[in-house]
Each structure stands twice: as structure tokens, then as C-alpha cells.
């Protein structure tokens, strides 16, 4: 997977998130979902999707007179790649610095802390 393909832009990620929930979709359907969050023109959405297809982020199949789009990336792989890049660039590669910042800036519920502890315990047991 190329660097460009594994690290979509913010606008591309919005479209991918829509497709990961329900795909394949037409440009009209994706545009409708985008409009629920912000004002974006149909031609803007179409252009972004055409660029994404060219970059290998989306696949397109003919459906009558229109096209249906699907993601070419797996959600988990994309999230992992974006997180790794973020940790490298914003936290000098330190996951612990990320966690300290995250937990220090957000009111974390007891349930969330319990889940984090469980994940850490599971990781320690599997080493």
C-alpha cells in the first residue's frame, strides 16, 4: 500500500467513513450524507471522489447510467496507519506520551478507564 493510499486527506476520510458504514453508494448518496454534516457542493464531492479513485482509495463500478463507489481501503488498516503517522509526528513516536495527553485533556469515565486497564492487562498477559 502506497503512502498516499494509506493516508487519505481529511475530506477523503469523511467520504471513506460514509462508505465504511454502507457501501457501495452513488455520488448522490454520498453527497447527501456529506450535507448532513456541512455544506458541500455536489461537484466538489464528485471531484474528490474522482481523485480518490485515481489514487486507488475508491473503486467504481458502472450501475446503469451512474457509478457506485466502494472503499478500496480497510477501515482498521487506515486508522492504524493514520494513528502511527500521528504518533510519529506529534508525539515523537511515543504512544505513552499520546495516552498521557489524551487522558490529561479529557474527562475520562470510570468505564473507559476500566476498559483501558483491561486492554493493558490483556497486552501484558500476551507478552
Amino acid at each position: 500500500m502506497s503512502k498516499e493510499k494509506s493516508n487519505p486527506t481529511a475530506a477523503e476520510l469523511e467520504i471513506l467513513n460514509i462508505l465504511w458504514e454502507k457501501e457501495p453508494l452513488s455520488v448522490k448518496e454520498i453527497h447527501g450524507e456529506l450535507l448532513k454534516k456541512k455544506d458541500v457542493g455536489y461537484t466538489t464531492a464528485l471531484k474528490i471522489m474522482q481523485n480518490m479513485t485515481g489514487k486507488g482509495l475508491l473503486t467504481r463500478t458502472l450501475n446503469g447510467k451512474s457509478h457506485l463507489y466502494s472503499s478500496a481501503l480497510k477501515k482498521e488498516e487506515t486508522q492504524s496507519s493514520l494513528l502511527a503517522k500521528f504518533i510519529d509526528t506529534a508525539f515523537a513516536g511515543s504512544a505513552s506520551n499520546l495516552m498521557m495527553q489524551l487522558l490529561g485533556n479529557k474527562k475520562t469515565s470510570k468505564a473507559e478507564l476500566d476498559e483501558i486497564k483491561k486492554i493493558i492487562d490483556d497486552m501484558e498477559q500476551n507478552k
Side-chain angles (χ1 to χ4, degrees):
M1 188 177 293
S2 73
K3 191 174 211 123
E4 185 176 43
K5 194 173 181 182
S6 63
N7 293 307
T9 66
E12 292 169 347
L13 201 51
E14 287 183 74
I15 291 169
L16 285 169
N17 276 312
I18 292 166
L19 287 168
W20 286 327
E21 290 299 315
K22 182 181 179 184
E23 59 186 339
L25 295 171
S26 67
V27 177
K28 181 179 179 181
E29 292 168 316
I30 292 170
H31 178 247
E33 290 298 316
L34 290 170
L35 283 175
K36 292 178 183 178
K37 297 175 187 172
K38 66 182 180 182
D39 187 27
V40 61
Y42 178 87
T43 56
T44 300
L46 173 62
K47 185 65 177 167
I48 292 169
M49 293 171 63
Q50 288 171 335
N51 289 339
M52 291 174 73
T53 303
K55 290 167 61 175
L57 298 172
L58 298 181
T59 60
R60 178 177 60 205
T61 56
L62 193 57
N63 183 35
K65 292 184 179 182
S66 66
H67 288 99
L68 293 178
Y69 290 82
S70 298
S71 62
L73 303 175
K74 289 186 167 66
K75 182 178 183 177
E76 294 76 19
E77 290 175 6
T78 303
Q79 289 173 333
S80 179
S81 175
L82 289 169
L83 182 59
K85 181 179 178 185
F86 180 69
I87 292 170
D88 285 345
T89 57
F91 294 94
S94 173
S96 63
N97 285 345
L98 167 68
M99 288 304 297
M100 288 186 288
Q101 185 73 27
L102 179 65
L103 295 174
N105 283 342
K106 180 182 178 239
K107 179 128 177 108
T108 308
S109 71
K110 179 169 179 2
E112 288 173 319
L113 287 173
D114 289 344
E115 185 158 345
I116 291 167
K117 288 176 188 175
K118 182 184 180 313
I119 291 168
I120 292 169
D121 288 344
D122 289 348
M123 290 176 76
E124 287 177 338
Q125 289 177 5
N126 290 329
K127 283 197 173 193

